[in-house]
Amino acid sequence: MARFRIAVHITPRKGLLDPQGNAVKDALHTLGFKAVRNVHVGRYIVLETEAYDAIAAEETVTDMCRKLLANPVTEDFEIESAVPA
Amino acid sequence: MARFRIAVHITPRKGLLDPQGNAVKDALHTLGFKAVRNVHVGRYIVLETEAYDAIAAEETVTDMCRKLLANPVTEDFEIESAVPA
């Protein structure tokens, strides 16, 4: 078993309302950043996990995203390549 | 003026407590993912903004991070290169 680090981006699905992103956009406008057109707020999760190899680690993290990390109805996730931790 | 897309990663500063990461780690253990050793939960923000060039866009987004997006006491931020939107 070796230890791997894997980063995951979880973003609101395109076309769905993103109330947090709109709130940030409004706050930026209020602060004077009038040139901002769109803001999307997602999560960035970095996991360290033990696995036999990088492919097994990535499969496990995909499973974690489906079961816990991402909301399958409203969010998309993207997993970066596993790197030795 | 052109439109640029810039992604920002905001992460809990190393060495500080990350209660959200620990909660996710415990939940993953409960679900049977016993091999998980560490979890860090940050934010992933994608902004679209108007600017004269990519450098100006990146400088503006750095300013946004300092003033609103990141907590300067507890979080680090990292800005990716601006790409035309």
Side-chain angles (χ1 to χ4, degrees), chain B residues 1-69:
Chain B
M1 298 283 267
R3 187 181 284 216
F4 294 93
R5 183 182 294 119
I6 301 186
V8 182
H9 291 100
I10 298 170
T11 48
R13 188 157 287 172
K14 278 194 205 317
L16 288 187
L17 282 176
D18 179 1
Q20 198 182 357
N22 287 331
V24 171
K25 184 175 74 176
D26 292 347
L28 287 169
H29 284 181
T30 304
L31 283 174
F33 297 106
K34 306 286 188 193
V36 176
R37 293 290 168 268
N38 263 307
V39 181
H40 293 284
V41 178
R43 274 167 292 135
Y44 175 63
I45 303 180
V46 181
L47 299 116
E48 282 181 23
T49 186
E50 308 267 343
Y52 286 106
D53 57 27
I55 292 176
E58 289 164 17
E59 282 173 359
T60 305
V61 171
T62 304
D63 203 24
M64 291 176 194
C65 286
R66 294 216 177 97
K67 288 189 177 151
L68 181 77
L69 303 177

Short mmCIF file of all heavy atoms in Angstrom, two decimals, chain B residues 1-69:
data_model
loop_
_atom_site.label_atom_id
_atom_site.label_comp_id
_atom_site.label_asym_id
_atom_site.label_seq_id
_atom_site.Cartn_x
_atom_site.Cartn_y
_atom_site.Cartn_z
N MET B 1 -11.63 46.22 -24.04
CA MET B 1 -11.88 45.30 -22.92
C MET B 1 -12.22 43.92 -23.47
O MET B 1 -12.97 43.79 -24.43
CB MET B 1 -13.05 45.80 -22.07
CG MET B 1 -12.81 47.14 -21.42
SD MET B 1 -11.73 47.02 -19.99
CE MET B 1 -12.93 46.82 -18.68
N ALA B 2 -11.68 42.91 -22.85
CA ALA B 2 -12.00 41.53 -23.22
C ALA B 2 -12.46 40.80 -21.97
O ALA B 2 -12.29 41.29 -20.85
CB ALA B 2 -10.78 40.85 -23.81
N ARG B 3 -13.06 39.64 -22.20
CA ARG B 3 -13.55 38.89 -21.05
C ARG B 3 -12.61 37.74 -20.75
O ARG B 3 -12.19 37.02 -21.66
CB ARG B 3 -14.96 38.37 -21.34
CG ARG B 3 -15.60 37.72 -20.11
CD ARG B 3 -16.97 37.18 -20.42
NE ARG B 3 -17.95 38.24 -20.51
CZ ARG B 3 -19.21 38.12 -20.10
NH1 ARG B 3 -19.64 36.98 -19.59
NH2 ARG B 3 -20.05 39.11 -20.21
N PHE B 4 -12.26 37.59 -19.48
CA PHE B 4 -11.35 36.53 -19.05
C PHE B 4 -12.01 35.66 -17.99
O PHE B 4 -12.83 36.13 -17.21
CB PHE B 4 -10.06 37.13 -18.47
CG PHE B 4 -9.25 37.87 -19.49
CD1 PHE B 4 -9.41 39.23 -19.67
CD2 PHE B 4 -8.34 37.20 -20.29
CE1 PHE B 4 -8.68 39.92 -20.63
CE2 PHE B 4 -7.61 37.88 -21.25
CZ PHE B 4 -7.78 39.24 -21.43
N ARG B 5 -11.60 34.40 -17.99
CA ARG B 5 -12.04 33.47 -16.96
C ARG B 5 -10.84 33.13 -16.08
O ARG B 5 -9.77 32.76 -16.60
CB ARG B 5 -12.62 32.20 -17.58
CG ARG B 5 -13.16 31.23 -16.53
CD ARG B 5 -13.70 29.94 -17.14
NE ARG B 5 -14.88 30.21 -17.95
CZ ARG B 5 -14.98 29.98 -19.25
NH1 ARG B 5 -13.98 29.42 -19.89
NH2 ARG B 5 -16.08 30.28 -19.92
N ILE B 6 -11.01 33.24 -14.78
CA ILE B 6 -9.93 32.96 -13.84
C ILE B 6 -10.46 32.07 -12.73
O ILE B 6 -11.52 32.34 -12.15
CB ILE B 6 -9.39 34.27 -13.21
CG1 ILE B 6 -8.87 35.18 -14.32
CG2 ILE B 6 -8.31 33.97 -12.20
CD1 ILE B 6 -8.19 36.41 -13.80
N ALA B 7 -9.72 30.99 -12.45
CA ALA B 7 -10.10 30.09 -11.37
C ALA B 7 -9.22 30.36 -10.15
O ALA B 7 -8.04 30.68 -10.28
CB ALA B 7 -9.94 28.64 -11.80
N VAL B 8 -9.82 30.25 -8.98
CA VAL B 8 -9.11 30.50 -7.72
C VAL B 8 -9.33 29.31 -6.79
O VAL B 8 -10.45 28.84 -6.65
CB VAL B 8 -9.65 31.78 -7.04
CG1 VAL B 8 -8.89 32.06 -5.77
CG2 VAL B 8 -9.61 32.96 -7.97
N HIS B 9 -8.25 28.83 -6.21
CA HIS B 9 -8.34 27.82 -5.15
C HIS B 9 -8.10 28.49 -3.81
O HIS B 9 -7.09 29.17 -3.64
CB HIS B 9 -7.28 26.73 -5.33
CG HIS B 9 -7.53 25.86 -6.52
ND1 HIS B 9 -6.87 26.03 -7.71
CD2 HIS B 9 -8.38 24.83 -6.71
CE1 HIS B 9 -7.30 25.13 -8.58
NE2 HIS B 9 -8.22 24.39 -8.01
N ILE B 10 -9.01 28.28 -2.88
CA ILE B 10 -8.85 28.82 -1.53
C ILE B 10 -8.82 27.66 -0.57
O ILE B 10 -9.74 26.84 -0.53
CB ILE B 10 -10.01 29.79 -1.20
CG1 ILE B 10 -9.96 30.96 -2.19
CG2 ILE B 10 -9.91 30.29 0.24
CD1 ILE B 10 -11.17 31.85 -2.13
N THR B 11 -7.74 27.55 0.19
CA THR B 11 -7.56 26.38 1.05
C THR B 11 -7.28 26.81 2.48
O THR B 11 -6.70 27.88 2.71
CB THR B 11 -6.38 25.53 0.55
OG1 THR B 11 -5.27 26.38 0.31
CG2 THR B 11 -6.73 24.80 -0.72
N PRO B 12 -7.66 25.98 3.45
CA PRO B 12 -7.32 26.30 4.84
C PRO B 12 -5.80 26.33 4.98
O PRO B 12 -5.11 25.50 4.41
CB PRO B 12 -7.92 25.16 5.66
CG PRO B 12 -8.58 24.24 4.70
CD PRO B 12 -8.38 24.72 3.31
N ARG B 13 -5.29 27.31 5.70
CA ARG B 13 -3.83 27.44 5.86
C ARG B 13 -3.29 26.20 6.56
O ARG B 13 -3.88 25.69 7.52
CB ARG B 13 -3.54 28.70 6.68
CG ARG B 13 -2.09 29.04 6.75
CD ARG B 13 -1.93 30.52 7.04
NE ARG B 13 -2.27 31.32 5.86
CZ ARG B 13 -2.38 32.64 5.86
NH1 ARG B 13 -2.17 33.33 6.97
NH2 ARG B 13 -2.68 33.28 4.74
N LYS B 14 -2.17 25.72 6.07
CA LYS B 14 -1.55 24.52 6.66
C LYS B 14 -1.23 24.76 8.14
O LYS B 14 -0.75 25.81 8.51
CB LYS B 14 -0.25 24.19 5.93
CG LYS B 14 -0.49 23.40 4.65
CD LYS B 14 0.80 22.80 4.13
CE LYS B 14 0.72 22.56 2.62
NZ LYS B 14 -0.57 21.98 2.17
N GLY B 15 -1.51 23.75 8.96
CA GLY B 15 -1.20 23.87 10.38
C GLY B 15 -2.38 24.35 11.20
O GLY B 15 -2.41 24.15 12.41
N LEU B 16 -3.36 24.99 10.53
CA LEU B 16 -4.56 25.39 11.26
C LEU B 16 -5.55 24.22 11.29
O LEU B 16 -5.52 23.36 10.43
CB LEU B 16 -5.23 26.59 10.58
CG LEU B 16 -4.51 27.93 10.71
CD1 LEU B 16 -5.37 29.03 10.13
CD2 LEU B 16 -4.19 28.23 12.16
N LEU B 17 -6.41 24.22 12.28
CA LEU B 17 -7.46 23.21 12.34
C LEU B 17 -8.36 23.32 11.12
O LEU B 17 -8.65 24.41 10.65
CB LEU B 17 -8.31 23.41 13.60
CG LEU B 17 -7.69 22.92 14.90
CD1 LEU B 17 -8.63 23.29 16.05
CD2 LEU B 17 -7.47 21.42 14.85
N ASP B 18 -8.80 22.18 10.60
CA ASP B 18 -9.71 22.17 9.46
C ASP B 18 -10.92 21.31 9.86
O ASP B 18 -11.01 20.14 9.51
CB ASP B 18 -8.98 21.58 8.24
CG ASP B 18 -9.88 21.51 7.01
OD1 ASP B 18 -11.05 21.93 7.10
OD2 ASP B 18 -9.41 21.00 5.99
N PRO B 19 -11.85 21.90 10.65
CA PRO B 19 -12.95 21.10 11.19
C PRO B 19 -13.81 20.48 10.10
O PRO B 19 -14.28 19.35 10.24
CB PRO B 19 -13.74 22.09 12.04
CG PRO B 19 -13.27 23.45 11.65
CD PRO B 19 -11.90 23.31 11.08
N GLN B 20 -14.00 21.19 8.98
CA GLN B 20 -14.82 20.65 7.90
C GLN B 20 -14.12 19.43 7.28
O GLN B 20 -14.77 18.40 7.01
CB GLN B 20 -15.05 21.73 6.84
CG GLN B 20 -16.21 21.42 5.92
CD GLN B 20 -16.40 22.49 4.85
OE1 GLN B 20 -15.71 23.51 4.82
NE2 GLN B 20 -17.35 22.26 3.96
N GLY B 21 -12.81 19.53 7.08
CA GLY B 21 -12.06 18.39 6.55
C GLY B 21 -12.13 17.19 7.47
O GLY B 21 -12.29 16.04 7.04
N ASN B 22 -12.01 17.43 8.78
CA ASN B 22 -12.09 16.33 9.74
C ASN B 22 -13.47 15.69 9.75
O ASN B 22 -13.59 14.46 9.87
CB ASN B 22 -11.71 16.81 11.14
CG ASN B 22 -10.21 17.07 11.26
OD1 ASN B 22 -9.40 16.43 10.58
ND2 ASN B 22 -9.84 18.02 12.11
N ALA B 23 -14.50 16.51 9.61
CA ALA B 23 -15.87 15.97 9.57
C ALA B 23 -16.05 15.09 8.35
O ALA B 23 -16.66 14.01 8.43
CB ALA B 23 -16.89 17.12 9.58
N VAL B 24 -15.52 15.52 7.20
CA VAL B 24 -15.63 14.71 5.99
C VAL B 24 -14.85 13.42 6.15
O VAL B 24 -15.31 12.33 5.77
CB VAL B 24 -15.15 15.51 4.75
CG1 VAL B 24 -15.06 14.61 3.52
CG2 VAL B 24 -16.08 16.67 4.47
N LYS B 25 -13.66 13.49 6.75
CA LYS B 25 -12.86 12.28 6.96
C LYS B 25 -13.63 11.29 7.83
O LYS B 25 -13.72 10.09 7.51
CB LYS B 25 -11.52 12.64 7.61
CG LYS B 25 -10.61 11.44 7.78
CD LYS B 25 -9.24 11.84 8.33
CE LYS B 25 -9.36 12.18 9.80
NZ LYS B 25 -8.05 12.47 10.42
N ASP B 26 -14.22 11.77 8.92
CA ASP B 26 -14.98 10.87 9.80
C ASP B 26 -16.16 10.24 9.06
O ASP B 26 -16.45 9.05 9.22
CB ASP B 26 -15.47 11.64 11.04
CG ASP B 26 -14.33 12.05 11.95
OD1 ASP B 26 -13.20 11.53 11.75
OD2 ASP B 26 -14.55 12.89 12.83
N ALA B 27 -16.83 11.06 8.24
CA ALA B 27 -17.99 10.54 7.50
C ALA B 27 -17.55 9.47 6.51
O ALA B 27 -18.22 8.45 6.33
CB ALA B 27 -18.71 11.68 6.78
N LEU B 28 -16.39 9.68 5.86
CA LEU B 28 -15.89 8.68 4.91
C LEU B 28 -15.53 7.39 5.63
O LEU B 28 -15.81 6.29 5.14
CB LEU B 28 -14.68 9.24 4.15
CG LEU B 28 -15.00 10.32 3.10
CD1 LEU B 28 -13.74 11.00 2.60
CD2 LEU B 28 -15.76 9.72 1.92
N HIS B 29 -14.92 7.50 6.82
CA HIS B 29 -14.61 6.30 7.60
C HIS B 29 -15.90 5.54 7.93
O HIS B 29 -15.97 4.32 7.81
CB HIS B 29 -13.86 6.67 8.88
CG HIS B 29 -12.43 7.02 8.64
ND1 HIS B 29 -11.56 7.37 9.65
CD2 HIS B 29 -11.69 7.08 7.51
CE1 HIS B 29 -10.37 7.63 9.14
NE2 HIS B 29 -10.42 7.46 7.85
N THR B 30 -16.92 6.29 8.36
CA THR B 30 -18.20 5.66 8.70
C THR B 30 -18.80 4.94 7.50
O THR B 30 -19.42 3.88 7.64
CB THR B 30 -19.19 6.74 9.20
OG1 THR B 30 -18.60 7.41 10.30
CG2 THR B 30 -20.51 6.12 9.64
N LEU B 31 -18.60 5.48 6.31
CA LEU B 31 -19.13 4.85 5.09
C LEU B 31 -18.28 3.67 4.63
O LEU B 31 -18.61 3.04 3.63
CB LEU B 31 -19.20 5.88 3.95
CG LEU B 31 -20.36 6.85 4.00
CD1 LEU B 31 -20.23 7.89 2.90
CD2 LEU B 31 -21.69 6.12 3.84
N GLY B 32 -17.16 3.41 5.32
CA GLY B 32 -16.35 2.26 4.96
C GLY B 32 -15.05 2.57 4.25
O GLY B 32 -14.28 1.67 3.94
N PHE B 33 -14.80 3.85 3.97
CA PHE B 33 -13.55 4.24 3.31
C PHE B 33 -12.46 4.42 4.38
O PHE B 33 -12.04 5.53 4.69
CB PHE B 33 -13.75 5.53 2.51
CG PHE B 33 -14.73 5.41 1.38
CD1 PHE B 33 -15.99 5.97 1.48
CD2 PHE B 33 -14.39 4.74 0.22
CE1 PHE B 33 -16.90 5.86 0.44
CE2 PHE B 33 -15.30 4.63 -0.83
CZ PHE B 33 -16.55 5.19 -0.71
N LYS B 34 -12.00 3.26 4.92
CA LYS B 34 -11.10 3.32 6.08
C LYS B 34 -9.70 3.77 5.69
O LYS B 34 -8.89 4.09 6.56
CB LYS B 34 -11.00 1.92 6.71
CG LYS B 34 -12.33 1.30 7.09
CD LYS B 34 -12.92 1.95 8.32
CE LYS B 34 -14.16 1.16 8.78
NZ LYS B 34 -14.94 1.91 9.77
N ALA B 35 -9.35 3.74 4.40
CA ALA B 35 -7.98 4.05 3.98
C ALA B 35 -7.71 5.55 3.90
O ALA B 35 -6.58 5.96 3.65
CB ALA B 35 -7.69 3.40 2.63
N VAL B 36 -8.75 6.37 4.10
CA VAL B 36 -8.55 7.82 4.00
C VAL B 36 -7.75 8.31 5.20
O VAL B 36 -8.07 7.98 6.34
CB VAL B 36 -9.92 8.54 3.95
CG1 VAL B 36 -9.72 10.04 3.95
CG2 VAL B 36 -10.68 8.11 2.72
N ARG B 37 -6.70 9.07 4.95
CA ARG B 37 -5.84 9.55 6.02
C ARG B 37 -6.06 11.03 6.34
O ARG B 37 -5.95 11.45 7.48
CB ARG B 37 -4.36 9.33 5.66
CG ARG B 37 -3.96 7.87 5.58
CD ARG B 37 -3.93 7.23 6.97
NE ARG B 37 -3.82 5.77 6.86
CZ ARG B 37 -4.86 4.95 6.82
NH1 ARG B 37 -6.09 5.42 6.91
NH2 ARG B 37 -4.69 3.65 6.72
N ASN B 38 -6.30 11.82 5.31
CA ASN B 38 -6.43 13.26 5.52
C ASN B 38 -7.39 13.84 4.49
O ASN B 38 -7.38 13.41 3.33
CB ASN B 38 -5.08 13.95 5.30
CG ASN B 38 -4.36 14.20 6.59
OD1 ASN B 38 -4.93 14.79 7.51
ND2 ASN B 38 -3.13 13.74 6.67
N VAL B 39 -8.18 14.81 4.93
CA VAL B 39 -9.07 15.50 4.00
C VAL B 39 -8.97 17.00 4.28
O VAL B 39 -9.03 17.43 5.44
CB VAL B 39 -10.54 15.05 4.17
CG1 VAL B 39 -11.44 15.78 3.17
CG2 VAL B 39 -10.68 13.55 3.99
N HIS B 40 -8.80 17.78 3.23
CA HIS B 40 -8.83 19.24 3.35
C HIS B 40 -9.90 19.77 2.42
O HIS B 40 -9.92 19.44 1.24
CB HIS B 40 -7.47 19.85 3.00
CG HIS B 40 -6.42 19.49 3.99
ND1 HIS B 40 -6.35 20.07 5.24
CD2 HIS B 40 -5.43 18.58 3.94
CE1 HIS B 40 -5.35 19.53 5.91
NE2 HIS B 40 -4.76 18.63 5.15
N VAL B 41 -10.77 20.58 2.98
CA VAL B 41 -11.87 21.13 2.19
C VAL B 41 -11.64 22.62 1.98
O VAL B 41 -11.51 23.37 2.95
CB VAL B 41 -13.22 20.90 2.89
CG1 VAL B 41 -14.35 21.52 2.07
CG2 VAL B 41 -13.48 19.43 3.11
N GLY B 42 -11.55 23.01 0.73
CA GLY B 42 -11.41 24.41 0.39
C GLY B 42 -12.49 24.82 -0.59
O GLY B 42 -13.43 24.07 -0.83
N ARG B 43 -12.34 26.00 -1.15
CA ARG B 43 -13.31 26.48 -2.14
C ARG B 43 -12.64 26.65 -3.50
O ARG B 43 -11.43 26.87 -3.57
CB ARG B 43 -13.91 27.81 -1.68
CG ARG B 43 -15.10 27.60 -0.76
CD ARG B 43 -15.50 28.87 -0.06
NE ARG B 43 -14.47 29.25 0.90
CZ ARG B 43 -14.01 30.49 1.05
NH1 ARG B 43 -14.47 31.46 0.29
NH2 ARG B 43 -13.08 30.74 1.93
N TYR B 44 -13.45 26.51 -4.52
CA TYR B 44 -12.99 26.64 -5.90
C TYR B 44 -13.91 27.64 -6.57
O TYR B 44 -15.10 27.38 -6.71
CB TYR B 44 -13.07 25.27 -6.58
CG TYR B 44 -12.73 25.25 -8.05
CD1 TYR B 44 -11.46 25.60 -8.48
CD2 TYR B 44 -13.67 24.87 -8.99
CE1 TYR B 44 -11.14 25.57 -9.82
CE2 TYR B 44 -13.36 24.83 -10.34
CZ TYR B 44 -12.09 25.18 -10.75
OH TYR B 44 -11.78 25.15 -12.08
N ILE B 45 -13.38 28.81 -6.87
CA ILE B 45 -14.21 29.89 -7.39
C ILE B 45 -13.76 30.22 -8.81
O ILE B 45 -12.57 30.40 -9.06
CB ILE B 45 -14.10 31.14 -6.49
CG1 ILE B 45 -14.48 30.78 -5.05
CG2 ILE B 45 -14.96 32.27 -7.02
CD1 ILE B 45 -14.41 31.93 -4.09
N VAL B 46 -14.71 30.25 -9.73
CA VAL B 46 -14.41 30.61 -11.11
C VAL B 46 -15.09 31.94 -11.40
O VAL B 46 -16.32 32.06 -11.24
CB VAL B 46 -14.89 29.53 -12.09
CG1 VAL B 46 -14.55 29.93 -13.52
CG2 VAL B 46 -14.26 28.19 -11.76
N LEU B 47 -14.28 32.93 -11.79
CA LEU B 47 -14.81 34.27 -12.06
C LEU B 47 -14.66 34.59 -13.53
O LEU B 47 -13.65 34.23 -14.16
CB LEU B 47 -14.02 35.32 -11.26
CG LEU B 47 -14.05 35.17 -9.75
CD1 LEU B 47 -12.66 34.89 -9.24
CD2 LEU B 47 -14.60 36.43 -9.11
N GLU B 48 -15.64 35.28 -14.08
CA GLU B 48 -15.50 35.87 -15.41
C GLU B 48 -15.55 37.37 -15.25
O GLU B 48 -16.48 37.91 -14.63
CB GLU B 48 -16.63 35.41 -16.34
CG GLU B 48 -16.41 34.00 -16.85
CD GLU B 48 -17.51 33.55 -17.80
OE1 GLU B 48 -18.18 34.42 -18.39
OE2 GLU B 48 -17.70 32.33 -17.91
N THR B 49 -14.52 38.04 -15.77
CA THR B 49 -14.44 39.48 -15.57
C THR B 49 -13.91 40.15 -16.83
O THR B 49 -13.18 39.54 -17.61
CB THR B 49 -13.56 39.80 -14.34
OG1 THR B 49 -13.60 41.19 -14.08
CG2 THR B 49 -12.11 39.35 -14.53
N GLU B 50 -14.31 41.38 -17.02
CA GLU B 50 -13.80 42.18 -18.14
C GLU B 50 -12.49 42.84 -17.71
O GLU B 50 -12.37 43.33 -16.58
CB GLU B 50 -14.79 43.30 -18.50
CG GLU B 50 -16.20 42.84 -18.73
CD GLU B 50 -16.47 42.54 -20.21
OE1 GLU B 50 -15.69 42.98 -21.05
OE2 GLU B 50 -17.46 41.84 -20.49
N ALA B 51 -11.50 42.85 -18.62
CA ALA B 51 -10.24 43.52 -18.30
C ALA B 51 -9.52 43.81 -19.62
O ALA B 51 -9.85 43.26 -20.66
CB ALA B 51 -9.37 42.65 -17.41
N TYR B 52 -8.50 44.70 -19.54
CA TYR B 52 -7.77 45.06 -20.76
C TYR B 52 -6.90 43.89 -21.23
O TYR B 52 -6.78 43.63 -22.41
CB TYR B 52 -6.92 46.31 -20.53
CG TYR B 52 -7.78 47.54 -20.48
CD1 TYR B 52 -8.03 48.19 -19.28
CD2 TYR B 52 -8.38 48.03 -21.63
CE1 TYR B 52 -8.85 49.31 -19.23
CE2 TYR B 52 -9.20 49.15 -21.59
CZ TYR B 52 -9.43 49.77 -20.39
OH TYR B 52 -10.26 50.86 -20.35
N ASP B 53 -6.27 43.20 -20.29
CA ASP B 53 -5.46 42.04 -20.67
C ASP B 53 -5.43 41.05 -19.51
O ASP B 53 -5.98 41.31 -18.44
CB ASP B 53 -4.04 42.46 -21.10
CG ASP B 53 -3.33 43.25 -20.00
OD1 ASP B 53 -3.65 43.04 -18.81
OD2 ASP B 53 -2.47 44.06 -20.33
N ALA B 54 -4.78 39.91 -19.74
CA ALA B 54 -4.79 38.84 -18.74
C ALA B 54 -4.12 39.27 -17.44
O ALA B 54 -4.57 38.92 -16.34
CB ALA B 54 -4.10 37.59 -19.31
N ILE B 55 -3.05 40.05 -17.57
CA ILE B 55 -2.33 40.46 -16.35
C ILE B 55 -3.21 41.36 -15.48
O ILE B 55 -3.28 41.21 -14.26
CB ILE B 55 -1.01 41.15 -16.74
CG1 ILE B 55 -0.08 40.09 -17.36
CG2 ILE B 55 -0.35 41.80 -15.54
CD1 ILE B 55 1.21 40.65 -17.89
N ALA B 56 -3.91 42.30 -16.13
CA ALA B 56 -4.82 43.16 -15.37
C ALA B 56 -5.91 42.34 -14.71
O ALA B 56 -6.29 42.59 -13.55
CB ALA B 56 -5.42 44.21 -16.30
N ALA B 57 -6.43 41.33 -15.41
CA ALA B 57 -7.48 40.48 -14.84
C ALA B 57 -6.96 39.74 -13.60
O ALA B 57 -7.63 39.67 -12.57
CB ALA B 57 -7.98 39.48 -15.89
N GLU B 58 -5.74 39.21 -13.71
CA GLU B 58 -5.17 38.48 -12.56
C GLU B 58 -4.93 39.40 -11.37
O GLU B 58 -5.16 39.02 -10.22
CB GLU B 58 -3.88 37.78 -12.98
CG GLU B 58 -4.15 36.60 -13.92
CD GLU B 58 -2.90 36.11 -14.66
OE1 GLU B 58 -1.78 36.45 -14.23
OE2 GLU B 58 -3.06 35.41 -15.67
N GLU B 59 -4.48 40.63 -11.65
CA GLU B 59 -4.26 41.58 -10.55
C GLU B 59 -5.58 41.92 -9.87
O GLU B 59 -5.65 42.01 -8.63
CB GLU B 59 -3.59 42.85 -11.07
CG GLU B 59 -2.09 42.65 -11.29
CD GLU B 59 -1.44 43.85 -11.95
OE1 GLU B 59 -2.15 44.83 -12.26
OE2 GLU B 59 -0.21 43.79 -12.17
N THR B 60 -6.62 42.10 -10.67
CA THR B 60 -7.92 42.42 -10.08
C THR B 60 -8.42 41.27 -9.20
O THR B 60 -8.94 41.49 -8.11
CB THR B 60 -8.95 42.70 -11.20
OG1 THR B 60 -8.42 43.72 -12.03
CG2 THR B 60 -10.26 43.16 -10.63
N VAL B 61 -8.24 40.04 -9.68
CA VAL B 61 -8.74 38.91 -8.91
C VAL B 61 -7.92 38.72 -7.62
O VAL B 61 -8.47 38.37 -6.58
CB VAL B 61 -8.76 37.63 -9.78
CG1 VAL B 61 -9.06 36.40 -8.95
CG2 VAL B 61 -9.80 37.78 -10.88
N THR B 62 -6.62 39.01 -7.69
CA THR B 62 -5.82 38.97 -6.46
C THR B 62 -6.38 39.95 -5.43
O THR B 62 -6.52 39.63 -4.24
CB THR B 62 -4.35 39.33 -6.77
OG1 THR B 62 -3.87 38.45 -7.77
CG2 THR B 62 -3.48 39.20 -5.53
N ASP B 63 -6.74 41.13 -5.90
CA ASP B 63 -7.33 42.15 -5.03
C ASP B 63 -8.67 41.66 -4.45
O ASP B 63 -8.94 41.84 -3.26
CB ASP B 63 -7.52 43.41 -5.87
CG ASP B 63 -7.58 44.66 -5.04
OD1 ASP B 63 -7.04 44.65 -3.91
OD2 ASP B 63 -8.17 45.66 -5.51
N MET B 64 -9.49 41.00 -5.28
CA MET B 64 -10.76 40.44 -4.79
C MET B 64 -10.53 39.41 -3.70
O MET B 64 -11.28 39.35 -2.72
CB MET B 64 -11.50 39.74 -5.94
CG MET B 64 -12.02 40.65 -7.02
SD MET B 64 -12.75 39.61 -8.32
CE MET B 64 -12.91 40.82 -9.63
N CYS B 65 -9.50 38.58 -3.88
CA CYS B 65 -9.21 37.56 -2.86
C CYS B 65 -8.83 38.22 -1.55
O CYS B 65 -9.27 37.80 -0.48
CB CYS B 65 -8.06 36.65 -3.33
SG CYS B 65 -8.57 35.50 -4.61
N ARG B 66 -7.99 39.26 -1.63
CA ARG B 66 -7.55 39.94 -0.40
C ARG B 66 -8.72 40.60 0.31
O ARG B 66 -8.78 40.64 1.52
CB ARG B 66 -6.50 41.00 -0.75
CG ARG B 66 -5.21 40.39 -1.27
CD ARG B 66 -3.98 41.17 -0.80
NE ARG B 66 -2.78 40.48 -1.28
CZ ARG B 66 -2.13 40.84 -2.40
NH1 ARG B 66 -2.52 41.89 -3.09
NH2 ARG B 66 -1.07 40.16 -2.78
N LYS B 67 -9.67 41.16 -0.49
CA LYS B 67 -10.72 41.98 0.11
C LYS B 67 -11.98 41.21 0.47
O LYS B 67 -12.74 41.64 1.32
CB LYS B 67 -11.10 43.11 -0.85
CG LYS B 67 -10.01 44.17 -0.93
CD LYS B 67 -10.49 45.38 -1.70
CE LYS B 67 -9.42 46.46 -1.70
NZ LYS B 67 -9.49 47.30 -2.89
N LEU B 68 -12.23 40.08 -0.22
CA LEU B 68 -13.51 39.41 0.03
C LEU B 68 -13.43 37.88 0.01
O LEU B 68 -13.95 37.22 0.89
CB LEU B 68 -14.56 39.84 -1.02
CG LEU B 68 -15.94 39.21 -0.81
CD1 LEU B 68 -16.69 39.88 0.31
CD2 LEU B 68 -16.77 39.23 -2.09
N LEU B 69 -12.77 37.32 -1.01
CA LEU B 69 -12.97 35.89 -1.26
C LEU B 69 -12.29 35.00 -0.23
O LEU B 69 -12.82 33.96 0.15
CB LEU B 69 -12.50 35.54 -2.68
CG LEU B 69 -13.17 36.33 -3.81
CD1 LEU B 69 -12.57 35.95 -5.16
CD2 LEU B 69 -14.66 36.07 -3.83
#
